[in-house]
Amino acid sequence: MSRNTHLSDQSRRIFLQRLSQTIGFAAATSLVAGAGMGSALAYTPKPDSALRQGLVFTQPQMMALKHICSSIIPRTDTASAADVDRHGFVDHQLLQCFSEQDHAKCIGIVDDIK
């Protein structure tokens, strides 16, 4: 296994672990309460979301998040997570459903990985 592949796998694991710890409980709570579901249904995917600043993330962070999403769910015979703008969805949901403290934690996670 090459060093770059190892770092990529390690980065994905770190991202998933830290993101889960940071917003997992809050996401489940908001969805159960209905607040997150309405916001999720209101999101419209955008083909260029990684090319511009997000609602929470900067443009470089949006690009990094797009790569992270593509690594977690890569393109096979179906679209990757990046192909269907999950990075834009994450950015949108963070703003709509989570505190500024949660925003800062997620920004730190993305910055640590990129």
Side-chain angles (χ1 to χ4, degrees):
M1 181 180 302
S2 74
R3 180 185 169 142
N4 288 340
T5 301
H6 175 71
L7 291 176
S8 177
D9 290 344
Q10 184 177 3
S11 293
R12 281 187 267 175
R13 287 186 185 94
I14 291 167
F15 175 78
L16 289 172
Q17 180 184 34
R18 290 179 64 193
L19 187 61
S20 296
Q21 291 171 346
T22 302
I23 65 174
F25 178 75
T29 302
S30 69
L31 286 174
V32 168
M37 188 58 73
S39 176
L41 293 173
Y43 182 73
T44 303
K46 298 161 190 67
D48 65 342
S49 64
L51 301 177
R52 52 192 164 90
Q53 181 163 326
L55 301 169
V56 174
F57 296 105
T58 65
Q59 187 279 319
Q61 291 165 337
M62 287 295 291
M63 185 60 75
L65 189 56
K66 178 180 179 177
H67 291 297
I68 292 165
C69 288
S70 184
S71 294
I72 293 170
I73 302 177
R75 183 181 303 139
T76 57
D77 57 338
T78 61
S80 72
D83 292 338
V84 295
D85 191 30
R86 294 304 85 186
H87 48 287
F89 177 80
V90 167
D91 180 63
H92 171 78
Q93 287 299 99
L94 269 176
L95 180 69
Q96 298 300 319
C97 301
F98 299 95
S99 71
E100 289 187 17
Q101 184 179 12
D102 292 328
H103 300 179
K105 289 178 185 177
C106 292
I107 288 167
I109 292 166
V110 170
D111 284 344
D112 285 348
I113 291 172
K114 71 175 190 167

